[in-house]
Amino acid sequence: MLTLTNQQARQALVRWQNLDGADGFRGLDGARAIMDRLGTIQFDPLNVAGRNPDLVLQARVRGYRPEHLRRLLYEERHLVDGYDKEMCIYTARDFPSFAPQRVLRAADGRRWLEGRGQGETFNMLEDILSIIRERGPSSLADIPIGESKDFGWGPRRPSGAAIEYLFASGRLCVADKAGTQRRFDLTERVLPRECLEPVERDDDAFADWYVKRRLSCVGLLWDRRGGAWQGYVVGDDKARKAALQRLSERGEIVPCRVEGSRAQFYALPEVVEALPEGGKRPACRFIAPLDNLMWDREMIQALFGFRYRWEVYTPVAKREYGYYVLPVLYGSRFVARFEPEPVNKALCLRVKTWWWEDGARVSGAMLSAVEAALNRFARFLDVPCAPENMDLIVKAAGTRA
């Protein structure tokens, strides 16, 4: 069995994710290329200094702009909004293969809606489809049918619940967005015909496809339940372990050990075959809270010695750091984290607080890389970079415990 050093495991993850920039991905073509490699990125609507999918792509693609993602989604239809790990954006070519997952999600959705007294939702599915067929792309607000009730989380009108159910089951697709407001249309009118061809797989074959695909989203994973294995089928220990065994026997994935860990790891062959030799100047990147690299935070802590918790939903008094904190990667180490001021209020990239990690050896080269990363990040946000940022960062290096 292949044994990797801890450093090799970290480098393999960084290399596969192109967080070292070695692939030279740029602009629209670069965004398309990294999405073809990773397959899925997670969506979240919060926008403090960019939304999660844009933050994921800006760290990997030089010159990335949010309009590139919009073009890939709603003009080229190279990508599609849909459920994978959570609400995600994934390659449209995989839409047919997700059919078994959509069946499971639809069944859960029906039980959930009936359990909270929204069973009438299912009496209006065909009516909703007819309305959208006639009107074209429509939002939840465009079809306000039924009495609005306060259910807490989730759609309040039966028509909204019906649209969400039809989306989860694959009969509706997101045709476009105005901000974060989705407009739905019939799937066959949104996706190219080649993205609708059914894929016939039995349960084992689907599990194999899904487990291997989820592994490609990260590059290297351990076989422990966690965020990276979240979701239908891959989250089932028995099904996942059986699929990992079959894939290993066929040589489609590589079982490996990482020095210092008792866990069983698996990697794609192309990940371990392309282990970087080192010697290059380390790059600095700001990582999204829901970045693919951060999906299994326990694994990241084990490999990188970096403990991270997204504290958006943590009460202020209980937060260790801040509301929306971004990890800072330098080479294959997490060296810091910072909280940006909301860009729409500051009208520039301003660092609110910067925390260096214990053990980070702050050098002139590292500070230069951080400054370059700040300028790159500001260009992505299309705002100026506050000149006092580096003073704050240097001061944090001198005052940390």
Side-chain angles (χ1 to χ4, degrees):
M1 181 179 294
L2 177 67
T3 298
L4 303 175
T5 65
N6 179 274
Q7 182 178 6
Q8 285 176 322
R10 289 185 280 107
Q11 290 175 330
L13 284 164
V14 170
R15 176 76 288 282
W16 177 251
Q17 297 283 336
N18 194 43
L19 289 167
D20 57 2
D23 289 311
F25 291 154
R26 290 178 177 269
L28 177 67
D29 289 340
R32 187 185 298 110
I34 195 63
M35 284 302 305
D36 285 343
R37 177 184 296 179
L38 303 181
T40 290
I41 55 178
Q42 195 164 339
F43 177 79
D44 187 84
L46 289 178
N47 188 356
V48 175
R51 293 191 175 93
N52 190 78
D54 293 316
L55 293 174
V56 171
L57 293 174
Q58 65 79 29
R60 294 158 171 80
V61 180
R62 184 172 291 278
Y64 170 77
R65 305 286 297 170
E67 53 262 32
H68 295 151
L69 180 58
R70 181 174 182 82
R71 179 171 170 179
L72 292 173
L73 275 165
Y74 307 126
E75 296 179 27
E76 295 186 12
R77 304 296 181 189
H78 189 76
L79 305 176
V80 63
D81 295 279
Y83 288 100
D84 183 358
K85 175 180 177 287
E86 290 282 357
M87 176 56 73
C88 289
I89 294 167
Y90 62 79
T91 47
R93 69 187 181 205
D94 289 333
F95 183 84
S97 293
F98 272 111
Q101 187 250 36
R102 288 193 293 272
V103 170
L104 294 169
R105 181 170 290 277
D108 272 357
R110 176 178 286 271
R111 285 190 290 269
W112 183 73
L113 287 168
E114 290 176 344
R116 73 177 202 165
Q118 281 190 296
E120 70 268 33
T121 293
F122 302 99
N123 298 326
M124 59 177 62
L125 297 181
E126 293 305 321
D127 290 339
I128 296 292
L129 290 170
S130 295
I131 292 170
I132 292 177
R133 187 176 292 112
E134 181 178 341
R135 293 185 182 178
S138 305
S139 69
L140 272 65
D142 292 332
I143 311 177
I145 302 174
E147 182 182 354
S148 180
K149 298 179 181 179
D150 187 1
F151 292 102
W153 184 85
R156 298 183 178 186
R157 288 186 184 272
S159 56
I163 292 173
E164 292 287 3
Y165 176 84
L166 290 165
F167 169 60
S169 61
R171 299 179 71 182
L172 292 180
C173 218
V174 178
D176 58 33
K177 286 181 183 175
T180 58
Q181 185 179 59
R182 297 163 296 167
R183 300 177 70 228
F184 300 89
D185 202 352
L186 305 179
T187 298
E188 61 267 25
R189 296 201 304 211
V190 173
L191 295 183
R193 181 174 298 178
E194 61 268 23
C195 296
L196 300 172
E197 295 296 327
V199 177
E200 298 296 332
R201 290 188 176 100
D202 61 23
D203 290 348
D204 285 352
F206 174 71
D208 291 354
W209 173 82
Y210 204 5
V211 166
K212 184 178 179 182
R213 187 183 185 282
R214 182 60 62 84
L215 187 58
S216 74
C217 294
V218 183
L220 172 77
L221 285 172
W222 64 11
D223 183 23
R224 291 184 178 177
R225 184 179 298 182
W229 293 120
Q230 182 178 338
Y232 295 99
V233 181
V234 295
D236 181 288
D237 287 349
K238 183 177 179 181
R240 183 182 68 253
K241 290 178 183 295
L244 288 168
Q245 181 65 31
R246 291 190 296 268
L247 290 164
S248 298
E249 291 172 353
R250 296 199 298 266
E252 295 184 40
I253 62 174
V254 179
C256 49
R257 300 284 184 187
V258 176
E259 290 179 358
S261 174
R262 296 181 179 180
Q264 175 69 64
F265 286 80
Y266 294 90
L268 297 177
E270 51 266 45
V271 172
V272 295
E273 289 168 3
L275 283 171
E277 297 178 358
K280 295 183 179 180
R281 180 178 297 179
C284 180
R285 297 289 185 264
F286 302 150
I287 306 300
L290 303 176
D291 192 286
N292 297 38
L293 184 65
M294 306 303 296
W295 280 359
D296 194 321
R297 293 171 192 163
E298 289 188 13
M299 188 186 81
I300 291 301
Q301 184 171 354
L303 294 179
F304 290 79
F306 181 74
R307 185 175 65 84
Y308 179 76
R309 182 176 67 171
W310 196 34
E311 298 183 296
V312 163
Y313 302 110
T314 303
V316 174
K318 295 184 178 180
R319 286 179 191 154
E320 185 177 1
Y321 293 98
Y323 173 71
Y324 203 93
V325 172
L326 303 180
V328 179
L329 184 73
Y330 178 66
S332 60
R333 289 283 188 187
F334 286 101
V335 297
R337 64 189 83 198
F338 78 100
E339 182 178 13
E341 295 278 6
V343 169
N344 62 346
K345 294 181 180 179
L347 300 180
C348 67
L349 174 59
R350 178 171 289 119
V351 175
K352 182 178 181 180
T353 313
W354 183 282
W355 301 269
W356 290 102
E357 292 296 298
D358 291 340
R361 300 174 63 183
V362 183
S363 64
M366 185 185 293
L367 289 172
S368 295
V370 167
E371 185 171 20
L374 283 168
N375 290 326
R376 169 176 166 153
F377 198 61
R379 289 193 296 272
F380 150 68
L381 294 169
D382 198 23
V383 295
C385 187
E388 63 269 23
N389 285 335
M390 285 307 298
D391 291 338
L392 184 151
I393 290 168
V394 171
K395 183 177 179 182
T399 60
R400 63 179 171 165

